[in-house]
């Protein structure tokens, strides 16, 4: 019997997480968290025993449910953290306690609940306070400069790349900007986690579509249906 069921659930998951000393990857950002997580899983799972966030269980309830899956057989964990307002990330950070971070991007989602874009970036960065390494693309100069300064002040190693340059080295079958950026993020993270470059370049070419995310289906009359129904914000609509 507890006074606050959500707090109790989160505290149980936090204590459970403290039992493990394996690479824990925390993923934050406005878009692309689930796609990066699933593609990273596709790259890592042939080599490691990987546990990951189910679907998009990245909320105040979803994160503890995800972390609760951790057991002694796992070698790497991939957990998403999603927030919609100020001061939510602290709770998710205490549960996940990642040692490797991925900041996918920053967009318009939930902006109404923040006073500025910078405030939203800083809220998402709270997830990475326990990290030794943070991975972030250079494409958005505003985001990158804030992340760079934040990492420097905390002596966190920043791994960064320009999507346009990196994608030229990789044979990515997807043509939209969002998918290319997500594939590059997964590639760089898998490389950091010890997967060989030659292996990864083959895997990048074989990445499969994530259900309900820019998923192409054959329609009637030789038409094509683009199923992106999982996402609901302007950035996702633009990518679609």
């Amino acid at each position: 019997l507890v006074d606050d069921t959500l707090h109790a659930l989160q505290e149980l998951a936090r204590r459970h997480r403290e039992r493990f000393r394996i690479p824990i990857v925390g993923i934050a950002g406005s878009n692309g968290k689930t796609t990066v997580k699933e593609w990273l899983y596709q790259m890592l799972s042939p080599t490691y025993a990987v546990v990951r966030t189910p679907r998009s269980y990245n909320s105040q309830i979803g994160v503890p449910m995800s972390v609760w899956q951790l057991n002694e057989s796992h070698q790497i964990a991939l957990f998403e953290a999603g927030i919609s307002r100020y001061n939510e990330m602290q709770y998710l950070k205490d549960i996940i306690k990642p040692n490797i971070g991925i900041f996918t991007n920053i967009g318009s989602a939930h902006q109404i609940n923040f006073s500025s874009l910078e405030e939203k970036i800083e809220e998402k960065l709270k997830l990475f306070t326990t990290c030794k390494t943070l991975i972030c693309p250079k494409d958005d100069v505003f985001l990158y400069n804030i992340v760079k300064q934040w990492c420097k002040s905390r002596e966190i190693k920043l791994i960064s790349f320009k999507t346009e340059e990196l994608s030229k080295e990789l044979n990515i079958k997807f043509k939209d900007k969002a998918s290319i950026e997500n594939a590059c993020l997964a590639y760089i993270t898998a490389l950091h986690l010890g997967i060989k470059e030659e292996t990864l370049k083959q895997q990048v070419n074989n990445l499969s579509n994530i259900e309900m995310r820019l998923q192409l289906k054959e329609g009637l009359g030789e038409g094509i249906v683009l199923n992106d129904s999982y996402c609901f914000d302007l950035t996702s609509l633009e990518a679609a």
Side-chain angles (χ1 to χ4, degrees):
L1 183 67
V2 296
D3 294 326
D4 187 326
T5 52
L6 178 59
H7 175 74
L9 175 67
Q10 292 178 338
E11 182 64 13
L12 277 170
R14 185 185 70 79
R15 298 277 185 113
H16 182 66
R17 156 68 181 94
E18 288 177 353
R19 296 170 50 205
F20 301 91
R21 298 289 180 269
I22 61 172
I24 305 277
V25 180
I27 308 170
S30 296
N31 300 89
K33 295 184 293 296
T34 300
T35 301
V36 170
K37 176 207 68 189
E38 290 297 328
W39 284 350
L40 186 52
Y41 176 79
Q42 290 177 30
M43 294 175 182
L44 295 173
S45 55
T47 305
Y48 299 109
V50 184
V51 61
R52 71 194 192 281
T53 298
R55 297 175 67 86
S56 292
Y57 283 26
N58 57 31
S59 66
Q60 297 292 316
I61 294 173
V63 167
M65 290 175 68
S66 301
V67 171
W68 194 253
Q69 299 175 107
L70 267 170
N71 64 48
E72 287 73 14
S73 70
H74 295 126
Q75 297 171 293
I76 292 177
L78 313 175
F79 297 129
E80 300 176 42
I83 56 160
S84 58
R85 53 181 49 87
Y86 183 73
N87 217 25
E88 281 189 330
M89 190 61 89
Q90 179 65 38
Y91 302 102
L92 305 186
K93 181 267 291 185
D94 288 342
I95 299 166
I96 298 174
K97 254 185 203 165
N99 37 52
I100 299 168
I102 301 174
F103 202 137
T104 60
N105 54 43
I106 198 73
S108 61
H110 308 298
Q111 188 59 50
I112 194 170
N113 296 325
F114 295 91
S115 62
S116 66
L117 194 60
E118 189 170 358
E119 182 183 68
K120 186 163 68 172
I121 292 170
E122 288 173 353
E123 179 66 20
K124 292 179 186 293
L125 280 168
K126 289 178 183 177
L127 175 65
F128 309 123
T129 52
T130 56
C131 288
K132 295 180 179 178
T133 304
L134 179 56
I135 298 162
C136 177
K138 290 182 179 179
D139 308 333
D140 185 330
V141 177
F142 182 74
L143 169 64
Y144 174 69
N145 286 337
I146 293 174
V147 171
K148 184 180 178 181
Q149 195 60 40
W150 188 87
C151 287
K152 186 178 179 181
S153 67
R154 289 162 178 78
E155 297 184 346
I156 295 172
K157 180 184 178 183
L158 177 61
I159 297 176
S160 58
F161 60 91
K162 285 190 175 180
T163 299
E164 188 177 352
E165 293 176 5
L166 179 58
S167 62
K168 289 176 182 176
E169 301 176 23
L170 306 174
N171 186 18
I172 302 172
K173 66 180 180 181
F174 303 98
K175 302 303 178 188
D176 64 284
K177 182 182 174 184
S179 295
I180 293 169
E181 184 179 280
N182 292 336
C184 287
L185 274 165
Y187 170 85
I188 289 291
T189 309
L191 201 61
H192 176 68
L193 287 165
I195 306 297
K196 291 180 180 179
E197 188 176 346
E198 314 84 70
T199 304
L200 284 174
K201 285 185 175 179
Q202 290 179 345
Q203 288 176 318
V204 165
N205 193 36
N206 295 318
L207 292 172
S208 58
N209 280 329
I210 309 303
E211 188 178 351
M212 294 191 295
R213 283 175 168 80
L214 296 175
Q215 186 181 23
L216 290 172
K217 294 187 174 184
E218 289 187 17
L220 297 174
E222 298 183 1
I224 293 174
V225 176
L226 180 60
N227 182 10
D228 198 45
S229 51
Y230 205 101
C231 303
F232 193 64
D233 61 77
L234 288 173
T235 305
S236 301
L237 178 61
E238 182 182 23

